[in-house]
Amino acid sequence: MNKQPMPRDISIITTYRCQMKCEMCDIWQNPTSKEREISASDLVGLPNFKTVNITGGEPFIRKDLDEIIDVMYEKSDEVVISTSGWHTQRILDLAKKYPKIGIRVSIEGLSVSNDKLRGRKGGFDRALNTLLGLKSMGIKNIGFGITVSNNNSHDLMPLYRLSKELGFEFSTATFHNSFYFHKSDNVVTNKDVVVDNFFELANALLKEIKPKSWFRALFNLGLVRYIKGQKRMLPCEAGSTNFFIYPYGDLYPCNGLEEKYWLESMGNIRDHDTFYELWNSPQANKVRKMVEVCPKNCWMVGTAAPVIKKNLYKTLPWVVKAKIRSFFGHDVCQTKLPYFNIGQNELQGNFKVSNVEDMRDSNFKAKEIPVKFIGDFADDSELVSDASTISR
């Protein structure tokens, strides 16, 4: 009677092995053992999903990637692979076998910026060549994304315009620290410049004719809130609407967890007879309660998109109003960023919480967590954004 509803979206981190040497991600310095990585047989027992994202590391470094796609292609309406685009021929060969596959190539700027940030000369050329090759094959669901930082925000709008000219999807992210990225020093220092670039992008997206682009404008304003250290515009429901499978089979609610706050698996798919058993286990329910008061304010597409879609009754009116304003020549308001109160726990995404250790207690109960605050603040625009200020 009290079973947890099944998730709509899943991300599978196939490996930490990667041929790139990205400045904002140290996965490549912490490779997984290919002998221990999950295989297609480990995924057979998963239920059906709306969307599956296959990621890494570099998924195409795995020689058995097509076996994983074989399984997930039957379990999802949409399978999208996130890749550096380096292994052009492998990508084209897979797309030929699965013409409805989605491919998202990471491009961190124009040629000079991209190759510097991703640590491989010729990376931009290979990535673009891969996308053009996919387009020539008639693959529809293709595009590229940029992780915006101090070092490349000046390339944000040129890349957006390039994507429009070529007919590609265009996605964005910004610096995040996590156990997944093996990073703890990703910080946007020139916030005003980066934020201005995001506002320019949001205004451009609202001028497009596709409603999907208008919602992307909303998503990008969520990135602005994140950079400014404000709460998420919508609650995080990681571990409920979505989850991540890590390379060795552990389920985590998201890819934004850090050990200095909390890092706890929902369980391992190899340790349970069925996925339903794992999904409704006491450990999985415990992790979901921890998510409710997680102090991080992450805003990544894997956990943001599901709640934007789920709460259309809140987000759609804002999008329509913003589109109407854009039609009459008005830009988005820079002083009042969208925030939607749907009854979420006020502690979630709140860096004022100092007693994070209680989240690791085996008897953790979300409503019982003792909370201490660092000062009193008038509104969420003044939230402490530097994690080092949290009392340990």
Side-chain angles (χ1 to χ4, degrees):
M1 291 177 60
N2 298 315
K3 299 301 183 184
Q4 177 71 22
M6 297 304 293
R8 287 170 47 91
D9 303 313
I10 171 180
S11 295
I12 302 174
I13 305 171
T14 55
T15 183
Y16 285 166
R17 292 177 287 144
C18 187
Q19 75 289 325
M20 309 308 282
K21 298 180 179 180
C22 298
E23 291 185 5
M24 63 286 188
C25 173
D26 282 345
I27 277 179
W28 58 278
Q29 296 192 75
N30 298 271
T32 42
S33 166
K34 64 181 180 180
E35 290 78 17
R36 295 178 57 199
E37 292 168 350
I38 51 175
S39 64
S41 61
D42 293 316
L43 307 175
V44 170
L46 293 176
N48 294 338
F49 302 97
K50 182 70 175 176
T51 304
V52 173
N53 176 239
I54 306 294
T55 186
E58 172 54 67
F60 284 94
I61 217 164
R62 289 194 57 156
K63 301 297 178 62
D64 62 344
L65 182 61
D66 60 336
E67 297 176 16
I68 291 175
I69 302 302
D70 268 333
V71 173
M72 301 314 300
Y73 212 65
E74 298 298 320
K75 292 181 176 293
S76 177
D77 296 340
E78 181 182 35
V79 178
V80 179
I81 305 176
S82 299
T83 173
S84 65
W86 185 264
H87 301 284
T88 302
Q89 195 56 53
R90 294 183 195 174
I91 297 170
L92 299 182
D93 289 344
L94 188 73
K96 185 177 181 180
K97 184 177 180 181
Y98 303 101
K100 293 183 180 180
I101 201 78
I103 301 290
R104 295 293 182 273
V105 176
S106 297
I107 297 180
E108 309 307 338
L110 299 178
S111 182
V112 173
S113 298
N114 178 81
D115 291 2
K116 179 180 182 298
L117 290 172
R118 296 191 70 79
R120 293 295 296 267
K121 289 183 179 180
F124 179 86
D125 292 342
R126 284 214 193 191
L128 189 58
N129 186 48
T130 296
L131 286 167
L132 292 173
L134 290 166
K135 184 178 181 180
S136 69
M137 293 170 57
I139 306 301
K140 304 296 184 183
N141 190 3
I142 56 176
F144 57 84
I146 176 176
T147 299
V148 182
S149 68
N150 320 343
N151 307 307
N152 64 351
S153 69
H154 55 278
D155 284 346
L156 178 59
M157 290 308 295
L159 280 180
Y160 163 71
R161 289 189 285 268
L162 177 63
S163 71
K164 282 195 67 179
E165 289 294 325
L166 295 175
F168 295 156
E169 299 288 328
F170 182 65
S171 59
T172 52
T174 190
F175 267 165
H176 281 78
N177 294 311
S178 74
F179 169 78
Y180 167 59
F181 297 116
H182 299 277
K183 292 289 288 185
S184 60
D185 59 353
N186 280 337
V187 178
V188 175
T189 54
N190 57 341
K191 293 184 180 181
D192 291 342
V193 173
V194 175
V195 163
D196 284 345
N197 293 141
F198 273 120
F199 277 126
E200 186 178 359
L201 176 62
N203 288 319
L205 289 166
L206 285 168
K207 288 181 171 65
E208 293 191 20
I209 62 174
K210 299 181 297 183
K212 185 176 183 179
S213 296
W214 312 341
F215 278 94
R216 283 179 173 165
L218 177 64
F219 171 80
N220 279 280
L221 295 182
L223 290 173
V224 172
R225 290 186 66 92
Y226 168 77
I227 292 169
K228 285 176 170 286
Q230 298 176 8
K231 285 186 178 182
R232 291 170 56 107
M233 68 167 63
L234 283 161
C236 179
E237 295 184 1
S240 297
T241 58
N242 67 282
F243 66 91
F244 282 71
I245 298 182
Y246 275 50
Y248 295 153
D250 277 300
L251 260 67
Y252 284 93
C254 69
N255 61 342
L257 299 176
E258 294 181 77
E259 285 187 282
K260 64 182 177 181
Y261 303 124
W262 67 285
L263 175 67
E264 190 147 355
S265 168
M266 302 173 77
N268 193 295
I269 57 175
R270 290 167 167 166
D271 296 336
H272 293 265
D273 293 332
T274 68
F275 175 80
Y276 299 94
E277 176 189 287
L278 187 161
W279 190 244
N280 291 286
S281 67
Q283 177 62 21
N285 288 327
K286 173 189 172 184
V287 169
R288 279 187 277 268
K289 289 181 179 292
M290 297 173 79
V291 170
E292 290 178 10
V293 293
C294 177
K296 297 197 67 177
N297 65 335
C298 309
W299 189 252
M300 291 182 273
V301 69
T303 53
V307 291
I308 289 176
K309 295 174 185 176
K310 180 180 177 181
N311 296 284
L312 281 177
Y313 75 101
K314 286 283 190 177
T315 57
L316 182 58
W318 184 94
V319 167
V320 172
K321 183 178 179 180
K323 175 58 183 177
I324 294 173
R325 285 178 50 82
S326 176
F327 181 80
F328 287 103
H330 300 291
D331 291 341
V332 296
C333 179
Q334 297 192 17
T335 57
K336 190 176 181 181
L337 295 170
Y339 175 81
F340 306 102
N341 188 338
I342 61 172
Q344 60 264 46
N345 194 310
E346 65 179 12
L347 302 182
Q348 189 187 75
N350 188 339
F351 276 120
K352 292 183 292 186
V353 178
S354 62
N355 201 344
V356 181
E357 288 295 334
D358 288 301
M359 299 185 68
R360 298 174 177 165
D361 191 291
S362 60
N363 296 315
F364 173 85
K365 301 291 183 184
K367 63 182 180 181
E368 297 175 1
I369 184 171
V371 178
K372 300 175 184 177
F373 294 95
I374 302 174
D376 295 315
F377 297 89
D379 57 45
D380 69 354
S381 66
E382 297 180 80
L383 293 181
V384 178
S385 60
D386 183 354
S388 65
T389 61
I390 294 180
S391 169
R392 297 285 297 176

